[in-house]
Amino acid sequence: MGVIEEVFSIDLPVGEQFRIQRCRYTPTGGETSKRISIVSGIHGDELEGQYVCFLLGEWLRAHADKIKATIDIYPAINSLGLDSITRSVPFYNVDLNRIFPGSKNDFLPAQIADGVVSAMRGSEIAIDIHSSNVFLREIPQVRIAKSQAKMLVPLANKLNIDFVWVHDAVTVLESTFAHAMNTLGTKTLVVEMGVGMRLGKAYGHQLLEGILNLMACEGFLDIEPLDVRMPIQSHVGEVAYLNASCPGLFVPAIEHCQMIEKGSIVGAIVDPLSGQTLDEVIAPIGGILFTLRAYPIVYEGSLVGRIFGEKV
Amino acid sequence: MKRIEIFNFKSPNRAPLKVEGFLFGEESKGPSVAIVGAMSGDHINQLYVASRLVEYLRQKEEEGKISGKILVIPAINSYALNMGETFWPLDKTDINMMFPGYAQGETTQRIAAKLFEALQGFNYGIILEGRRDQGMCLPYVKLIQSDYEDIDSARDLGMRFIHFRPYSPIETVMLQYNWQLWGTKALSVVFGKNGSIDPVSSEEVHGALVRFMVKRQILDTAVFEGFVSNIIEPESIMLLKASRAGIFDSLVSCGTTVSKGDTLGRITDALSGEKLEKIIAPIDGVLTCQYAHPLIFQNSIAFRIASVEPKKSITKSK
Ligand SMILES: [Zn+2]
């Protein structure tokens, strides 16, 4: 059984502590320096990772004899946000994933970030599970900065996900948890799947299998590797962004995560007041629709979908 | 004065977002400056200073005193101002984290792109900024070292302190950095307490903006001299933290000269009323910032003191 530990605590003004807890599973022989960290809830409106943490904990409780190295589960980093549907750090209104590596000498969000890094520093691998936000639904995917691709893509391929997206490095992303941990030598994978404020059971089970497989391959579990799917690799094609051309109500025409042909209709933007259809969103390329808008209100520019397809 | 529409952005159900600018003088006559007000819905002090400046410049133009070109945009995010939000009301993104903008991108990237386009070609750029935390501070100039920054023009504001420091990753998507890279001598004036108007700071910033325009030959009027600005690098600021959480009482105001041993603030237990902590100045200096919410978190920065004797000599690193 796992041991629940508090890794960071700070007093809030009125009779409460902000805390970060983890559940640590160790082999029967005791703790090992080899360890992996499973992380969720850096954004308080993303819950898919919480379900994966539960499923993994449930599996580990039932298979304690299979554990070969230390496994830490951190389901709730932004605990204030999770319990109040707040994406950012409440009160400060700061995106925790834009403040890493943080600092002990700065405001609360930076101290939380510093506490997270201190707790996980030294892990061999970290898996940071996000679920997009309330606006978009994503198929299970891992996003990797180009500079890290060589090291991280082989690891991502073990996670039973559908898509590995290698993107160009952007300076602003140097303030993310993943960048901070990769810089410290922890191989950190960022998973995006599902939609904010909801949970999808199927995706949770899919990622659980991937995490078990990765842990089997990397020497954390004494089990046979699982038979997992090979993700589509972004370098073989291109990503097309579908942004709303006008404000209105976006009504999707198709299901999420399906193959789509060039020129087909992804959805319509309609005007509830006049009863007019303002625009049709057309697929500019053929391929797989891996992102689809879940929240119907759109402004000009709002992302309504992303398609991965062959280079045009 | 010309009242111009910078851009107009439609909403699904609300009246369109109309961003307006006020234009004075002509480019051919002299140097140009653009002044940007509230990019967030809680930057009310910034809105106040900008709109007051518009009224001041309107009078000066009637008197024939404008010798360059001046553009003032008091509010960008009026959607947030009109509903007590901080960021873009739908997706909660910060417009000042979207520069240089992207015309084919997400909503706030498009808004940033339209604004950025309107800000091109000015000799000088001044961003009226609020703080990014719960503090309040003595108004100061924030100048980041992008390699294109211009400290000489920053001195012409005559403000007491210029915080001069390397940029952090998130600043690469903020307006100041991008404006500098695109060739405008851009700086930020940071002041006030978010969500409120401080008359003393507002007066000081108004005076500094007018002084800047006079010194840079954009405006022709008589002004008092300001401060010979002290250049402050991060190492010459001392942070005083609250070791306990609770109810916070400050006994001083920003700008006060403090001596080692002075009591600056007190923290009491929010439930029992027990006295938990006295925050004492450990050095001599000037109080530049303080926590400005009555409830304080453990380890929050309660005060910042600019030390009169910097720990390190101040040199610019390139
Ligand atoms: Zn997230």
Side-chain angles (χ1 to χ4, degrees), chain A:
Chain A
M1 217 160 22
V3 177
I4 293 173
E5 301 166 315
E6 188 173 277
V7 297
F8 178 77
S9 171
I10 190 162
D11 286 345
L12 296 177
V14 189
E16 184 192 346
Q17 287 79 39
F18 174 90
R19 62 182 188 182
I20 298 174
Q21 294 176 292
R22 75 174 165 215
C23 190
R24 168 164 283 186
Y25 294 85
T26 50
T28 34
E31 274 179 31
T32 59
S33 62
K34 181 183 176 72
R35 72 184 158 118
I36 185 169
S37 296
I38 313 297
V39 186
S40 91
I42 286 180
H43 290 134
D45 59 350
E46 302 181 6
L47 307 173
E48 306 277 6
Q50 285 227 309
Y51 186 55
V52 175
C53 287
F54 160 74
L55 291 173
L56 180 61
E58 186 185 51
W59 191 95
L60 292 169
R61 289 166 76 103
H63 301 87
D65 56 322
K66 305 293 186 198
I67 299 171
K68 282 167 69 180
T70 302
I71 301 168
D72 289 332
I73 302 179
Y74 300 81
I77 300 300
N78 179 5
S79 51
L80 278 184
L82 281 159
D83 290 5
S84 60
I85 335 180
T86 315
R87 182 174 182 79
S88 301
V89 180
F91 190 77
Y92 286 92
N93 222 344
V94 166
D95 183 340
L96 192 54
N97 214 21
R98 290 289 180 279
I99 203 88
F100 280 89
S103 158
K104 284 187 179 57
N105 284 322
D106 211 328
F107 62 166
L108 179 74
Q111 292 177 41
I112 296 171
D114 177 71
V116 168
V117 170
S118 313
M120 296 185 206
R121 181 192 285 266
S123 302
E124 187 178 308
I125 297 170
I127 300 175
D128 176 22
I129 308 166
H130 290 255
S131 29
S132 186
N133 52 35
V134 299
F135 301 104
L136 303 170
R137 179 173 282 119
E138 303 277 359
I139 64 170
Q141 57 197 273
V142 167
R143 295 184 186 164
I144 296 170
K146 208 170 245 169
S147 55
Q148 309 278 351
K150 213 170 159 189
M151 184 175 64
L152 296 181
V153 170
L155 211 54
N157 288 343
K158 299 185 170 120
L159 265 184
N160 199 32
I161 46 163
D162 295 293
F163 185 40
V164 172
W165 187 1
V166 176
H167 58 79
D168 288 323
V170 199
T171 311
V172 66
L173 295 180
E174 289 172 13
S175 47
T176 60
F177 167 77
H179 186 271
M181 295 307 293
N182 277 314
T183 304
L184 291 170
T186 296
K187 293 179 214 161
T188 304
L189 295 174
V190 181
V191 178
E192 290 276 357
M193 62 176 205
V195 61
M197 290 193 199
R198 297 286 180 268
L199 70 86
K201 283 171 77 177
Y203 285 170
H205 289 274
Q206 180 180 338
L207 187 61
L208 171 70
E209 291 198 0
I211 292 174
L212 293 177
N213 177 60
L214 181 146
M215 292 203 291
C217 296
E218 299 297 317
F220 293 91
L221 290 178
D222 187 17
I223 57 169
E224 285 299 308
L226 283 77
D227 187 19
V228 298
R229 64 186 80 186
M230 182 65 185
I232 301 167
Q233 307 287 320
S234 66
H235 67 85
V236 302
E238 62 162 4
V239 173
Y241 292 75
L242 286 67
N243 297 82
S245 63
C246 59
L249 193 71
F250 172 70
V251 185
I254 53 172
E255 289 299 309
H256 184 223
C257 185
Q258 70 175 45
M259 295 306 293
I260 184 168
E261 276 177 28
K262 182 178 173 175
S264 57
I265 298 168
V266 175
I269 298 171
V270 303
D271 179 17
L273 185 63
S274 68
Q276 284 176 298
T277 294
L278 303 172
D279 193 26
E280 274 181 336
V281 181
I282 307 287
I285 60 170
I288 183 167
L289 185 75
F290 69 95
T291 304
L292 182 63
R293 192 163 185 92
Y295 190 80
I297 292 284
V298 293
Y299 281 88
E300 181 194 323
S302 294
L303 191 66
V304 295
R306 279 185 283 234
I307 298 170
F308 175 76
E310 278 169 29
K311 283 200 170 84
V312 281

Side-chain angles (χ1 to χ4, degrees), chain B residues 91-104:
Chain B
D91 63 13
K92 317 294 184 227
T93 54
D94 183 353
I95 295 170
N96 199 15
M97 287 275 281
M98 294 294 156
F99 288 96
Y102 178 45
Q104 270 77 50

Side-chain angles (χ1 to χ4, degrees), chain B residues 83-127:
Chain B
M83 57 183 291
E85 278 278 346
T86 300
F87 300 127
W88 184 247
L90 181 64
D91 63 13
K92 317 294 184 227
T93 54
D94 183 353
I95 295 170
N96 199 15
M97 287 275 281
M98 294 294 156
F99 288 96
Y102 178 45
Q104 270 77 50
E106 269 278 1
T107 306
T108 44
Q109 291 178 313
R110 291 183 188 212
I111 290 173
K114 286 174 200 282
L115 175 63
F116 200 52
E117 196 188 318
L119 297 177
Q120 293 311 303
F122 283 87
N123 300 112
Y124 305 104
I126 299 176
I127 305 153

